[in-house]
Amino acid sequence: MLKSFARASLLAAALSLPLSFSAHAEEKTDFKVCWSIYVGWMPWGYLQDSGIMKKWADKYDISVEIVQINDYVESINQYTAGEYDGCSMTNMDALSIPAGGGVDTTALIVGDYSNGNDGIILKDKTDLAEIKGQTVNLVELSVSHYLLARALDSVGLSERDLTVVNTSDADMIAAYATPEVTSVVTWNPLLSEIEAQPNATKVFDSSGIPGEIIDVMMVNTETLADNPNFGKALVGAWYELMGIMSTDSDEGVAARTAMAEASGTDLAGYDAQLATTKMFYTPTDAVEFTKSAELPSTMKFVAEFLFDKGILGEGAPSPEFVGVAFADGSVYGDQNNVKLRFDPSFMAMAAEGAL
Amino acid sequence: MRIINRRPSRLPALALGLVPFIATLLVYAVASHYRRLENPADKLLPSLDSMGQAFWRMAAVPDRRSGDLLLWVDTFDSLWRLGSGMAVSTLLALVLGISIGFIPHIRSALAPYIATFSLIPPITILPILFITFGLGEVSKIALIVIGTAPIMVRSTAQAVLDIPREMIIKAETLGASVWQMVTRLVLPQVLPKLITALRLGLVPAWIFLISAEAIASTTGLGYRIFLVRRYLAMDVILPYVVWITLLAFLLDRLLLLLSRRAFRWNHLGSEAL
């Protein structure tokens, strides 16, 4: 009786096997990338809707589907689980979730960095140092948390000097309205919404740490290596749209208006968010940034922050547990465990007009 | 003998009960094994071993930042919230349930209101709870109370209404006052039903506890799950889910045991799950 049950459960296990075989790297023609709502990622939705993506995919004889996911962390989890070939995320989340989870990931398009889009707001106080002793509401372990850690560094405080309360971004505005919340760290559009309250003062924002919170289209390294056309199509489509949306031509305004509506604001609101975002409209700028000497030190900060918070995974003995490779071939961290790669070669092709 | 009349004895019954659990573990282990063949650091289906290590780390290794044993802090805080919420709900169910079930004027006044109130999906009024009670403990407990009390009140009131009319008439002919009938007749009849209502109420109570902790918190079982979800730490999430299930199961069994011990007569009838 027990024996036959053992046999039955083995059968059930065997049946569930196909589920566990995620997409092996190989040549393929259909690709899926995901993105979530954020000022610097709105172009992804527009690429799909306007047909620009289809045009470039057709050029390389492949198909690319761009899918919007409502929950940012969920989109990264889906990518990490192998459901998508690429996904938009920050450098920090790329290091902690896919790279930390052993999914070799390449930064294909470095789209922008936050230059004031993330900020710390105090209620009835005007100086960052006054944050000492307060409870601070933020999405823990997110870039907000990183921003807070960097801000505290700058005034000689540490997280021990305050209490962090994990608060869902969806509830941040309602939370700020309650009397006991005196300090929040959040990002746009929530940031500007809260800053507009009469008793709110923004005491620090990401323009104080420029180039550290980077928004990137991350793709699976194996998939990219086996299918360079996938990378070329994405990069080609992206910079065609960057060229359009950076101008004030009718076409550019129309594109930005569509993105504004998709993110629940209007053109003026979206332009205001773009103003605190350092967009790399040209591939040349993005390549230059990716090759810059500051990027390795930024990733070191990020890795140390993640290690300090215990995010780099079970058995991570040091911040150098996961290797990060840069454009010049240098590696931060473990040479034998490189899982995150900054590779500007596709953006360089776009810069040379070779796509 | 027909299969419906054959009963397993004690030991085979226990073995049969264990089989689905073992089968689930086995299926998981195999699926996890094959996923990790491809990517040894896979986060989605971590090995049983790494989950064990993560659980041990949460339960026995002090946190780097606060020095607390996280699992026990989380468990204590969550159980405290759950206990406070269910205590308030049980008290409300007892007082309001008996009043509504026993006194027609109160029934007319409150029954339609509570029936309507019980239909509000509690999560939808969470933003209002925040504004009125703040982000602290009160709004979390309030969410549990709002989510469980109306249904418990209704089932207690129904239990009072179900008391055979003859018993009440008999008490009246014997000259009992309303208070005497409540304490000597209604209460003993209703208490086992109240425990059943409490056991059923615990199911949504856990849901509301976890949701409340997911939104704004510094400790708690739900807080931890939603926190580590940010980096897909299934090696922490899965053991926590098992732990929560175990706690819920133990609470339920303890209440059943209490009911069996205290109200033996209520369990003389059919076999119950």
PDB file of all heavy atoms in Angstrom, chain B residues 58-89:
ATOM      1  N   MET B  58      16.692  32.363  11.254  1.00  0.00           N
ATOM      2  CA  MET B  58      15.668  33.269  11.759  1.00  0.00           C
ATOM      3  C   MET B  58      15.345  32.963  13.225  1.00  0.00           C
ATOM      4  O   MET B  58      15.024  33.865  13.993  1.00  0.00           O
ATOM      5  CB  MET B  58      14.367  33.138  10.947  1.00  0.00           C
ATOM      6  CG  MET B  58      14.487  33.405   9.467  1.00  0.00           C
ATOM      7  SD  MET B  58      15.160  35.001   9.048  1.00  0.00           S
ATOM      8  CE  MET B  58      13.788  36.075   9.359  1.00  0.00           C
ATOM      9  N   ALA B  59      15.408  31.667  13.587  1.00  0.00           N
ATOM     10  CA  ALA B  59      14.946  31.274  14.916  1.00  0.00           C
ATOM     11  C   ALA B  59      16.034  31.356  15.969  1.00  0.00           C
ATOM     12  O   ALA B  59      15.750  31.580  17.142  1.00  0.00           O
ATOM     13  CB  ALA B  59      14.376  29.850  14.860  1.00  0.00           C
ATOM     14  N   ALA B  60      17.298  31.167  15.571  1.00  0.00           N
ATOM     15  CA  ALA B  60      18.327  30.970  16.591  1.00  0.00           C
ATOM     16  C   ALA B  60      19.529  31.900  16.474  1.00  0.00           C
ATOM     17  O   ALA B  60      20.330  31.959  17.391  1.00  0.00           O
ATOM     18  CB  ALA B  60      18.808  29.517  16.550  1.00  0.00           C
ATOM     19  N   VAL B  61      19.671  32.605  15.349  1.00  0.00           N
ATOM     20  CA  VAL B  61      20.827  33.480  15.199  1.00  0.00           C
ATOM     21  C   VAL B  61      20.379  34.932  15.344  1.00  0.00           C
ATOM     22  O   VAL B  61      19.485  35.364  14.612  1.00  0.00           O
ATOM     23  CB  VAL B  61      21.505  33.270  13.824  1.00  0.00           C
ATOM     24  CG1 VAL B  61      22.720  34.168  13.689  1.00  0.00           C
ATOM     25  CG2 VAL B  61      21.877  31.811  13.634  1.00  0.00           C
ATOM     26  N   PRO B  62      20.941  35.670  16.284  1.00  0.00           N
ATOM     27  CA  PRO B  62      20.498  37.061  16.471  1.00  0.00           C
ATOM     28  C   PRO B  62      20.715  37.885  15.209  1.00  0.00           C
ATOM     29  O   PRO B  62      21.715  37.725  14.510  1.00  0.00           O
ATOM     30  CB  PRO B  62      21.400  37.568  17.608  1.00  0.00           C
ATOM     31  CG  PRO B  62      21.901  36.349  18.284  1.00  0.00           C
ATOM     32  CD  PRO B  62      21.965  35.281  17.251  1.00  0.00           C
ATOM     33  N   ASP B  63      19.747  38.756  14.929  1.00  0.00           N
ATOM     34  CA  ASP B  63      19.813  39.616  13.757  1.00  0.00           C
ATOM     35  C   ASP B  63      21.016  40.545  13.856  1.00  0.00           C
ATOM     36  O   ASP B  63      21.327  41.061  14.923  1.00  0.00           O
ATOM     37  CB  ASP B  63      18.517  40.428  13.675  1.00  0.00           C
ATOM     38  CG  ASP B  63      18.532  41.383  12.503  1.00  0.00           C
ATOM     39  OD1 ASP B  63      18.900  40.938  11.411  1.00  0.00           O
ATOM     40  OD2 ASP B  63      18.174  42.552  12.689  1.00  0.00           O
ATOM     41  N   ARG B  64      21.671  40.756  12.691  1.00  0.00           N
ATOM     42  CA  ARG B  64      22.878  41.571  12.673  1.00  0.00           C
ATOM     43  C   ARG B  64      22.603  42.987  13.170  1.00  0.00           C
ATOM     44  O   ARG B  64      23.397  43.587  13.861  1.00  0.00           O
ATOM     45  CB  ARG B  64      23.407  41.627  11.240  1.00  0.00           C
ATOM     46  CG  ARG B  64      24.905  41.794  11.163  1.00  0.00           C
ATOM     47  CD  ARG B  64      25.376  42.083   9.762  1.00  0.00           C
ATOM     48  NE  ARG B  64      24.570  41.435   8.738  1.00  0.00           N
ATOM     49  CZ  ARG B  64      25.073  40.623   7.808  1.00  0.00           C
ATOM     50  NH1 ARG B  64      26.329  40.342   7.808  1.00  0.00           N
ATOM     51  NH2 ARG B  64      24.297  40.100   6.877  1.00  0.00           N
ATOM     52  N   ARG B  65      21.434  43.528  12.798  1.00  0.00           N
ATOM     53  CA  ARG B  65      21.164  44.926  13.109  1.00  0.00           C
ATOM     54  C   ARG B  65      20.613  45.107  14.529  1.00  0.00           C
ATOM     55  O   ARG B  65      21.131  45.882  15.304  1.00  0.00           O
ATOM     56  CB  ARG B  65      20.178  45.498  12.084  1.00  0.00           C
ATOM     57  CG  ARG B  65      19.951  46.974  12.203  1.00  0.00           C
ATOM     58  CD  ARG B  65      19.547  47.561  10.863  1.00  0.00           C
ATOM     59  NE  ARG B  65      18.434  46.816  10.270  1.00  0.00           N
ATOM     60  CZ  ARG B  65      17.176  47.205  10.363  1.00  0.00           C
ATOM     61  NH1 ARG B  65      16.868  48.282  10.989  1.00  0.00           N
ATOM     62  NH2 ARG B  65      16.215  46.490   9.807  1.00  0.00           N
ATOM     63  N   SER B  66      19.554  44.351  14.853  1.00  0.00           N
ATOM     64  CA  SER B  66      18.872  44.616  16.123  1.00  0.00           C
ATOM     65  C   SER B  66      19.275  43.658  17.226  1.00  0.00           C
ATOM     66  O   SER B  66      19.007  43.918  18.400  1.00  0.00           O
ATOM     67  CB  SER B  66      17.357  44.521  15.908  1.00  0.00           C
ATOM     68  OG  SER B  66      17.041  43.240  15.403  1.00  0.00           O
ATOM     69  N   GLY B  67      19.916  42.525  16.865  1.00  0.00           N
ATOM     70  CA  GLY B  67      20.276  41.548  17.872  1.00  0.00           C
ATOM     71  C   GLY B  67      19.116  40.692  18.336  1.00  0.00           C
ATOM     72  O   GLY B  67      19.246  39.930  19.286  1.00  0.00           O
ATOM     73  N   ASP B  68      17.963  40.811  17.694  1.00  0.00           N
ATOM     74  CA  ASP B  68      16.793  40.006  18.081  1.00  0.00           C
ATOM     75  C   ASP B  68      16.805  38.668  17.362  1.00  0.00           C
ATOM     76  O   ASP B  68      17.399  38.523  16.296  1.00  0.00           O
ATOM     77  CB  ASP B  68      15.503  40.727  17.702  1.00  0.00           C
ATOM     78  CG  ASP B  68      15.297  41.982  18.526  1.00  0.00           C
ATOM     79  OD1 ASP B  68      15.754  42.005  19.675  1.00  0.00           O
ATOM     80  OD2 ASP B  68      14.681  42.923  18.002  1.00  0.00           O
ATOM     81  N   LEU B  69      16.104  37.691  17.965  1.00  0.00           N
ATOM     82  CA  LEU B  69      15.830  36.447  17.263  1.00  0.00           C
ATOM     83  C   LEU B  69      14.537  36.692  16.482  1.00  0.00           C
ATOM     84  O   LEU B  69      13.440  36.709  17.049  1.00  0.00           O
ATOM     85  CB  LEU B  69      15.665  35.289  18.243  1.00  0.00           C
ATOM     86  CG  LEU B  69      16.923  34.983  19.075  1.00  0.00           C
ATOM     87  CD1 LEU B  69      16.625  33.897  20.096  1.00  0.00           C
ATOM     88  CD2 LEU B  69      18.070  34.560  18.171  1.00  0.00           C
ATOM     89  N   LEU B  70      14.679  36.912  15.170  1.00  0.00           N
ATOM     90  CA  LEU B  70      13.572  37.470  14.404  1.00  0.00           C
ATOM     91  C   LEU B  70      12.310  36.617  14.451  1.00  0.00           C
ATOM     92  O   LEU B  70      11.211  37.143  14.600  1.00  0.00           O
ATOM     93  CB  LEU B  70      14.013  37.675  12.949  1.00  0.00           C
ATOM     94  CG  LEU B  70      15.123  38.720  12.771  1.00  0.00           C
ATOM     95  CD1 LEU B  70      15.546  38.807  11.316  1.00  0.00           C
ATOM     96  CD2 LEU B  70      14.662  40.087  13.260  1.00  0.00           C
ATOM     97  N   LEU B  71      12.454  35.303  14.311  1.00  0.00           N
ATOM     98  CA  LEU B  71      11.266  34.452  14.243  1.00  0.00           C
ATOM     99  C   LEU B  71      10.399  34.615  15.487  1.00  0.00           C
ATOM    100  O   LEU B  71       9.178  34.728  15.407  1.00  0.00           O
ATOM    101  CB  LEU B  71      11.666  32.990  14.070  1.00  0.00           C
ATOM    102  CG  LEU B  71      10.480  32.020  14.049  1.00  0.00           C
ATOM    103  CD1 LEU B  71       9.767  32.066  12.714  1.00  0.00           C
ATOM    104  CD2 LEU B  71      10.913  30.605  14.358  1.00  0.00           C
ATOM    105  N   TRP B  72      11.042  34.643  16.649  1.00  0.00           N
ATOM    106  CA  TRP B  72      10.267  34.691  17.889  1.00  0.00           C
ATOM    107  C   TRP B  72       9.656  36.061  18.100  1.00  0.00           C
ATOM    108  O   TRP B  72       8.512  36.170  18.570  1.00  0.00           O
ATOM    109  CB  TRP B  72      11.150  34.273  19.069  1.00  0.00           C
ATOM    110  CG  TRP B  72      11.748  32.933  18.796  1.00  0.00           C
ATOM    111  CD1 TRP B  72      13.052  32.657  18.554  1.00  0.00           C
ATOM    112  CD2 TRP B  72      11.032  31.696  18.631  1.00  0.00           C
ATOM    113  NE1 TRP B  72      13.209  31.320  18.262  1.00  0.00           N
ATOM    114  CE2 TRP B  72      11.990  30.707  18.302  1.00  0.00           C
ATOM    115  CE3 TRP B  72       9.693  31.338  18.726  1.00  0.00           C
ATOM    116  CZ2 TRP B  72      11.636  29.381  18.076  1.00  0.00           C
ATOM    117  CZ3 TRP B  72       9.344  30.021  18.506  1.00  0.00           C
ATOM    118  CH2 TRP B  72      10.307  29.050  18.193  1.00  0.00           C
ATOM    119  N   VAL B  73      10.390  37.111  17.726  1.00  0.00           N
ATOM    120  CA  VAL B  73       9.824  38.457  17.814  1.00  0.00           C
ATOM    121  C   VAL B  73       8.603  38.563  16.903  1.00  0.00           C
ATOM    122  O   VAL B  73       7.533  39.032  17.299  1.00  0.00           O
ATOM    123  CB  VAL B  73      10.891  39.506  17.421  1.00  0.00           C
ATOM    124  CG1 VAL B  73      10.278  40.881  17.355  1.00  0.00           C
ATOM    125  CG2 VAL B  73      12.034  39.486  18.407  1.00  0.00           C
ATOM    126  N   ASP B  74       8.773  38.087  15.657  1.00  0.00           N
ATOM    127  CA  ASP B  74       7.664  38.124  14.699  1.00  0.00           C
ATOM    128  C   ASP B  74       6.467  37.339  15.215  1.00  0.00           C
ATOM    129  O   ASP B  74       5.325  37.788  15.162  1.00  0.00           O
ATOM    130  CB  ASP B  74       8.105  37.526  13.354  1.00  0.00           C
ATOM    131  CG  ASP B  74       9.061  38.436  12.609  1.00  0.00           C
ATOM    132  OD1 ASP B  74       9.094  39.632  12.930  1.00  0.00           O
ATOM    133  OD2 ASP B  74       9.773  37.950  11.715  1.00  0.00           O
ATOM    134  N   THR B  75       6.749  36.121  15.713  1.00  0.00           N
ATOM    135  CA  THR B  75       5.667  35.258  16.169  1.00  0.00           C
ATOM    136  C   THR B  75       4.937  35.883  17.348  1.00  0.00           C
ATOM    137  O   THR B  75       3.703  35.942  17.378  1.00  0.00           O
ATOM    138  CB  THR B  75       6.228  33.889  16.593  1.00  0.00           C
ATOM    139  OG1 THR B  75       6.994  33.365  15.507  1.00  0.00           O
ATOM    140  CG2 THR B  75       5.120  32.935  16.938  1.00  0.00           C
ATOM    141  N   PHE B  76       5.710  36.399  18.297  1.00  0.00           N
ATOM    142  CA  PHE B  76       5.094  36.990  19.484  1.00  0.00           C
ATOM    143  C   PHE B  76       4.204  38.171  19.095  1.00  0.00           C
ATOM    144  O   PHE B  76       3.056  38.264  19.513  1.00  0.00           O
ATOM    145  CB  PHE B  76       6.178  37.440  20.471  1.00  0.00           C
ATOM    146  CG  PHE B  76       5.625  38.107  21.686  1.00  0.00           C
ATOM    147  CD1 PHE B  76       5.127  37.352  22.736  1.00  0.00           C
ATOM    148  CD2 PHE B  76       5.564  39.489  21.769  1.00  0.00           C
ATOM    149  CE1 PHE B  76       4.580  37.966  23.852  1.00  0.00           C
ATOM    150  CE2 PHE B  76       5.022  40.111  22.874  1.00  0.00           C
ATOM    151  CZ  PHE B  76       4.532  39.344  23.924  1.00  0.00           C
ATOM    152  N   ASP B  77       4.744  39.076  18.256  1.00  0.00           N
ATOM    153  CA  ASP B  77       3.973  40.266  17.892  1.00  0.00           C
ATOM    154  C   ASP B  77       2.724  39.912  17.107  1.00  0.00           C
ATOM    155  O   ASP B  77       1.650  40.479  17.326  1.00  0.00           O
ATOM    156  CB  ASP B  77       4.855  41.238  17.091  1.00  0.00           C
ATOM    157  CG  ASP B  77       5.877  41.925  17.979  1.00  0.00           C
ATOM    158  OD1 ASP B  77       5.812  41.701  19.208  1.00  0.00           O
ATOM    159  OD2 ASP B  77       6.720  42.665  17.467  1.00  0.00           O
ATOM    160  N   SER B  78       2.864  38.956  16.189  1.00  0.00           N
ATOM    161  CA  SER B  78       1.693  38.567  15.398  1.00  0.00           C
ATOM    162  C   SER B  78       0.631  37.922  16.279  1.00  0.00           C
ATOM    163  O   SER B  78      -0.558  38.238  16.163  1.00  0.00           O
ATOM    164  CB  SER B  78       2.094  37.589  14.286  1.00  0.00           C
ATOM    165  OG  SER B  78       2.721  38.281  13.249  1.00  0.00           O
ATOM    166  N   LEU B  79       1.066  37.024  17.155  1.00  0.00           N
ATOM    167  CA  LEU B  79       0.085  36.352  18.011  1.00  0.00           C
ATOM    168  C   LEU B  79      -0.573  37.339  18.962  1.00  0.00           C
ATOM    169  O   LEU B  79      -1.754  37.214  19.281  1.00  0.00           O
ATOM    170  CB  LEU B  79       0.749  35.210  18.804  1.00  0.00           C
ATOM    171  CG  LEU B  79       1.089  33.974  17.970  1.00  0.00           C
ATOM    172  CD1 LEU B  79       1.702  32.895  18.861  1.00  0.00           C
ATOM    173  CD2 LEU B  79      -0.137  33.423  17.270  1.00  0.00           C
ATOM    174  N   TRP B  80       0.188  38.343  19.385  1.00  0.00           N
ATOM    175  CA  TRP B  80      -0.394  39.349  20.262  1.00  0.00           C
ATOM    176  C   TRP B  80      -1.501  40.118  19.536  1.00  0.00           C
ATOM    177  O   TRP B  80      -2.579  40.325  20.083  1.00  0.00           O
ATOM    178  CB  TRP B  80       0.700  40.314  20.748  1.00  0.00           C
ATOM    179  CG  TRP B  80       0.188  41.225  21.799  1.00  0.00           C
ATOM    180  CD1 TRP B  80       0.089  40.956  23.125  1.00  0.00           C
ATOM    181  CD2 TRP B  80      -0.327  42.544  21.622  1.00  0.00           C
ATOM    182  NE1 TRP B  80      -0.454  42.030  23.792  1.00  0.00           N
ATOM    183  CE2 TRP B  80      -0.720  43.014  22.886  1.00  0.00           C
ATOM    184  CE3 TRP B  80      -0.501  43.371  20.507  1.00  0.00           C
ATOM    185  CZ2 TRP B  80      -1.278  44.272  23.082  1.00  0.00           C
ATOM    186  CZ3 TRP B  80      -1.056  44.626  20.685  1.00  0.00           C
ATOM    187  CH2 TRP B  80      -1.436  45.071  21.966  1.00  0.00           C
ATOM    188  N   ARG B  81      -1.215  40.508  18.294  1.00  0.00           N
ATOM    189  CA  ARG B  81      -2.235  41.215  17.504  1.00  0.00           C
ATOM    190  C   ARG B  81      -3.447  40.329  17.265  1.00  0.00           C
ATOM    191  O   ARG B  81      -4.592  40.746  17.440  1.00  0.00           O
ATOM    192  CB  ARG B  81      -1.655  41.634  16.144  1.00  0.00           C
ATOM    193  CG  ARG B  81      -0.680  42.780  16.255  1.00  0.00           C
ATOM    194  CD  ARG B  81       0.065  43.028  14.957  1.00  0.00           C
ATOM    195  NE  ARG B  81       1.173  43.934  15.202  1.00  0.00           N
ATOM    196  CZ  ARG B  81       2.384  43.830  14.677  1.00  0.00           C
ATOM    197  NH1 ARG B  81       2.642  42.857  13.830  1.00  0.00           N
ATOM    198  NH2 ARG B  81       3.316  44.693  14.974  1.00  0.00           N
ATOM    199  N   LEU B  82      -3.158  39.092  16.860  1.00  0.00           N
ATOM    200  CA  LEU B  82      -4.252  38.161  16.577  1.00  0.00           C
ATOM    201  C   LEU B  82      -5.085  37.933  17.833  1.00  0.00           C
ATOM    202  O   LEU B  82      -6.313  37.989  17.807  1.00  0.00           O
ATOM    203  CB  LEU B  82      -3.675  36.833  16.082  1.00  0.00           C
ATOM    204  CG  LEU B  82      -4.665  35.836  15.502  1.00  0.00           C
ATOM    205  CD1 LEU B  82      -5.040  36.220  14.089  1.00  0.00           C
ATOM    206  CD2 LEU B  82      -4.076  34.427  15.495  1.00  0.00           C
ATOM    207  N   GLY B  83      -4.399  37.714  18.967  1.00  0.00           N
ATOM    208  CA  GLY B  83      -5.090  37.454  20.230  1.00  0.00           C
ATOM    209  C   GLY B  83      -5.942  38.642  20.663  1.00  0.00           C
ATOM    210  O   GLY B  83      -7.108  38.471  21.029  1.00  0.00           O
ATOM    211  N   SER B  84      -5.376  39.857  20.589  1.00  0.00           N
ATOM    212  CA  SER B  84      -6.148  41.032  20.994  1.00  0.00           C
ATOM    213  C   SER B  84      -7.376  41.182  20.104  1.00  0.00           C
ATOM    214  O   SER B  84      -8.483  41.434  20.588  1.00  0.00           O
ATOM    215  CB  SER B  84      -5.321  42.306  20.866  1.00  0.00           C
ATOM    216  OG  SER B  84      -4.040  42.102  21.340  1.00  0.00           O
ATOM    217  N   GLY B  85      -7.166  41.052  18.798  1.00  0.00           N
ATOM    218  CA  GLY B  85      -8.284  41.210  17.864  1.00  0.00           C
ATOM    219  C   GLY B  85      -9.374  40.195  18.129  1.00  0.00           C
ATOM    220  O   GLY B  85     -10.553  40.531  18.223  1.00  0.00           O
ATOM    221  N   MET B  86      -8.979  38.918  18.305  1.00  0.00           N
ATOM    222  CA  MET B  86      -9.976  37.876  18.495  1.00  0.00           C
ATOM    223  C   MET B  86     -10.640  37.999  19.867  1.00  0.00           C
ATOM    224  O   MET B  86     -11.813  37.642  20.020  1.00  0.00           O
ATOM    225  CB  MET B  86      -9.349  36.489  18.329  1.00  0.00           C
ATOM    226  CG  MET B  86      -8.936  36.187  16.897  1.00  0.00           C
ATOM    227  SD  MET B  86     -10.133  36.693  15.666  1.00  0.00           S
ATOM    228  CE  MET B  86     -11.305  35.351  15.739  1.00  0.00           C
ATOM    229  N   ALA B  87      -9.910  38.509  20.872  1.00  0.00           N
ATOM    230  CA  ALA B  87     -10.523  38.702  22.183  1.00  0.00           C
ATOM    231  C   ALA B  87     -11.651  39.729  22.078  1.00  0.00           C
ATOM    232  O   ALA B  87     -12.760  39.520  22.590  1.00  0.00           O
ATOM    233  CB  ALA B  87      -9.467  39.169  23.190  1.00  0.00           C
ATOM    234  N   VAL B  88     -11.365  40.846  21.380  1.00  0.00           N
ATOM    235  CA  VAL B  88     -12.402  41.863  21.208  1.00  0.00           C
ATOM    236  C   VAL B  88     -13.578  41.291  20.431  1.00  0.00           C
ATOM    237  O   VAL B  88     -14.749  41.469  20.794  1.00  0.00           O
ATOM    238  CB  VAL B  88     -11.812  43.102  20.494  1.00  0.00           C
ATOM    239  CG1 VAL B  88     -12.909  44.099  20.178  1.00  0.00           C
ATOM    240  CG2 VAL B  88     -10.725  43.737  21.333  1.00  0.00           C
ATOM    241  N   SER B  89     -13.286  40.567  19.341  1.00  0.00           N
ATOM    242  CA  SER B  89     -14.348  39.990  18.514  1.00  0.00           C
ATOM    243  C   SER B  89     -15.203  39.019  19.321  1.00  0.00           C
ATOM    244  O   SER B  89     -16.434  39.014  19.212  1.00  0.00           O
ATOM    245  CB  SER B  89     -13.750  39.250  17.313  1.00  0.00           C
ATOM    246  OG  SER B  89     -13.309  40.151  16.347  1.00  0.00           O
TER     247      SER B  89
END
